[in-house]
Amino acid sequence: MSAIAGHAITFFFLWLFASAGIHKVSSANLDYYIKVFASYGMPGKWVNAQVVKCVGSVEIATGVLIVLPATRWMGASLAACLLSAYLLAMARQLWQGQLNMDCGCSGPSGADTSISHHLLIRNVVLVIMALLCLLPLSDAGIYQALPLAALLLVVGLALLMVLLYLSAEQLISSGQKLQRLKRS
């Protein structure tokens, strides 16, 4: 069963990093991410544009690397590093009192989500999940005995993780909107 959960986590990360990376390398979103990166302290518009494209490309590569068995260790390591860097960047901004700063997590469509302690907790959970992908998976008999059933279970569990992630994002965003309404 641990092999199925491990593979499902890698498919979840494929979705998470590929979609995040595609958002960043999309020219339609470039100005948005340049502003977000600048708010985190990155200097210069040209430098930010290059960093945004580079980070987006690394995120896409991370998603692909983590799902392939031969490169899973590399993808999981990159995922843990990226998520930790995002965690530290948000923690630094919170430490400096930047409570209303856009986290940049959901792209322009989620621009109303500010950095918060909830996002730090989310990233800690994601880092732990990425580190779990570094554990060796013993799936020798699973896919030989029930290849279609195991694959369907992996995909179903990955989709459940995506839904849980999106639900948590929506709860965090809605909670922040309610707090802003209460203050005004």
Side-chain angles (χ1 to χ4, degrees):
M1 191 60 163
S2 66
I4 289 176
H7 288 296
I9 291 171
T10 64
F11 280 105
F12 164 75
F13 278 130
L14 170 65
W15 167 80
L16 182 70
F17 283 105
S19 61
I22 289 168
H23 275 109
K24 285 180 185 72
V25 299
S26 168
S27 59
N29 298 331
L30 189 58
D31 286 337
Y32 167 76
Y33 281 109
I34 288 171
K35 290 176 188 170
V36 169
F37 276 53
S39 67
Y40 279 99
M42 294 295 296
K45 185 173 180 173
W46 184 86
V47 171
N48 278 349
Q50 303 316 308
V51 171
V52 168
K53 291 176 186 175
C54 181
V55 169
S57 298
V58 169
E59 286 177 340
I60 293 168
T62 299
V64 172
L65 290 170
I66 201 167
V67 83
L68 300 173
T71 58
R72 179 165 296 145
W73 67 272
M74 190 183 317
S77 300
L78 279 170
C81 288
L82 283 169
L83 292 164
S84 296
Y86 300 154
L87 171 73
L88 292 173
M90 286 188 288
R92 179 176 173 258
Q93 296 303 319
L94 283 174
W95 180 265
Q96 294 176 346
Q98 302 292 331
L99 302 176
N100 294 323
M101 190 174 121
D102 181 8
C103 73
C105 304
S106 301
S109 62
D112 55 351
T113 304
S114 302
I115 58 172
S116 67
H117 294 90
H118 296 103
L119 292 177
L120 297 180
I121 293 167
R122 179 209 60 192
N123 271 38
V124 167
V125 170
L126 291 173
V127 168
I128 291 168
M129 289 172 65
L131 293 174
L132 287 174
C133 291
L134 290 170
L135 297 175
L137 298 177
S138 151
D139 56 13
I142 293 173
Y143 296 105
Q144 294 168 355
L146 302 167
L148 182 60
L151 180 63
L152 290 175
L153 192 55
V154 166
V155 170
L157 189 54
L159 289 173
L160 179 63
M161 288 179 198
V162 169
L163 289 174
L164 288 172
Y165 178 87
L166 292 172
S167 297
E169 291 292 301
Q170 188 60 52
L171 284 171
I172 291 169
S173 177
S174 296
Q176 290 179 359
K177 287 176 187 173
L178 284 173
Q179 289 299 321
R180 285 192 288 270
L181 284 172
K182 286 180 183 178
R183 283 182 276 196
S184 53

